[in-house]
Amino acid sequence: ASGDYTQGDGQETGDTEDNVFELYPGVDSDNWGWGMMALMLTQGFDLSEYSSGNLVFSVKTEYPGIIEAGLQTGLGTDNDSWDLIVNLDPTDNSYGYNNDGAWHEVIIPIADLVGSAEISYGNDASTAVQLDKVYTPFVIADRGGATGDSWDTETTIFIDKVRWTKN
């Protein structure tokens, strides 16, 4: 498996001809937060060959808080789902993230994501992270319990060029 997992075209212009995801956090997010997942149309991908690589994407925003990004392995119906998510903090430029309104490339080592792994809610903690069983190769969110943020914002988050790379 290779290539972009979103509809991003990589042009990052933000004009009407560009093909980027636009997220509008803050809508109905008072209790939990907000999030977006790129789900696969087919059965889970075996992305184990990327274990020493990176999750890479471009982002453009002035969102005031910490953003979470990563992936999910396993499948909830198999009771073996894991959240592999790291915080992107604009105050320390985590993984290249900045919220200054310009395009930035975020590069997150898969090893960092595996190191951050937490069992998904309600799943079996005796299972293991399975990079050979990835149904959700990209997640972006801001869950207030994890970041401490509130969501009183109408700031748009633009996402483009989501991909996994090998080293």
Side-chain angles (χ1 to χ4, degrees), residues 114-131:
V114 171
S116 73
E118 295 183 1
I119 190 70
S120 297
Y121 179 79
N123 282 258
D124 184 355
S126 70
T127 63
V129 170
Q130 302 173 73
L131 290 178

Side-chain angles (χ1 to χ4, degrees), residues 2-8 10 12 21 36 38 47 50 52-60 69-71 84 86 88 94-97 103-111 113 137-140 158-167:
S2 64
D4 290 354
Y5 290 107
T6 69
Q7 295 179 318
E12 301 171 336
F21 280 105
M36 189 271 311
L47 296 176
Y50 293 85
S52 62
N54 302 292
L55 171 62
V56 182
F57 63 96
S58 296
V59 61
K60 174 181 163 182
L71 63 126
L84 286 65
V86 296
L88 305 178
S94 301
Y95 302 103
Y97 174 67
W103 281 105
H104 294 278
E105 184 174 67
V106 174
I107 303 171
I108 306 170
I110 299 301
L113 292 167
F138 181 67
V139 174
I140 188 164
F158 299 93
I159 302 290
D160 200 4
K161 296 174 61 178
V162 177
R163 62 206 181 276
W164 285 47
T165 60
K166 297 178 186 177
N167 279 350

Side-chain angles (χ1 to χ4, degrees), residues 1 12 15 23 51 67 69 90 92 94 98-99 105 111-112 120 124-125 127 145 148 150 161:
E12 301 171 336
D15 65 23
L23 305 176
S51 63
I67 293 177
D92 66 10
S94 301
N98 198 314
N99 62 352
E105 184 174 67
D112 286 10
S120 297
D124 184 355
T127 63
S150 63
K161 296 174 61 178

